[in-house]
Amino acid sequence: QVQLIEFGGGLVQAGGSLRLSCAGSGRPFSVYAMGWFRQAPGKDRELVAGIDRSGGTNYADPVKGRFTISRDNTLNMVYLQMNSLKPEDTAVYYCAAGDIYSAHLSPGNIDYWGQGTQVTVSS
């Protein structure tokens, strides 16, 4: 079992930055691919960024060049640095862990989810 807790969400103006953090407990992070997903009202949950066990990354096209995912396996932490935020980035952001080798995560191969943290970007 793995428990995931996100923090760092909030309200920011367009063009601003936020850093999301995800703390894990239970089984060590190092055995999982980790990811950040988001879900806006009325939309499906979508992958924002994934990172595999070796540190290889994968980003959704809308966030490439603006967001950076990283992990610290010694601390059981995953981070999402979000820069140049846009109103369309507004969503609930979820930390996720999947017992797969690839950073190309999808909701169907996630084993554990955090409870989510709200990110709101005002125009």
Side-chain angles (χ1 to χ4, degrees):
Q1 282 283 356
V2 173
Q3 293 78 43
L4 302 172
I5 299 176
E6 306 95 336
F7 46 98
L11 174 65
V12 65
Q13 288 189 328
S17 298
L18 280 176
R19 188 193 195 206
L20 303 183
S21 300
C22 173
S25 61
R27 198 175 177 197
F29 263 16
S30 58
V31 302
Y32 294 98
M34 301 297 299
W36 288 94
F37 289 74
R38 67 186 180 188
Q39 188 166 19
K43 295 189 176 181
D44 293 334
R45 191 170 297 189
E46 62 180 5
L47 177 69
V48 175
I51 186 166
D52 65 24
R53 303 175 189 187
S54 301
T57 57
N58 171 49
Y59 294 93
D61 286 343
V63 308
K64 283 181 180 177
R66 300 189 296 124
F67 291 10
T68 303
I69 188 171
S70 60
R71 66 190 297 166
D72 186 333
N73 290 336
T74 62
L75 297 177
N76 265 17
M77 296 289 293
V78 178
Y79 308 97
L80 185 69
Q81 178 66 42
M82 304 186 294
N83 299 327
S84 302
L85 282 160
K86 304 176 180 180
E88 51 264 44
D89 294 318
T90 295
V92 177
Y93 283 70
Y94 297 90
C95 179
D99 193 6
I100 64 172
Y101 291 97
S102 173
H104 292 260
L105 296 162
S106 66
N109 55 30
I110 296 301
D111 295 285
Y112 302 101
W113 293 97
Q115 82 288 351
T117 185
Q118 178 70 46
V119 171
T120 302
V121 184
S122 63
S123 57

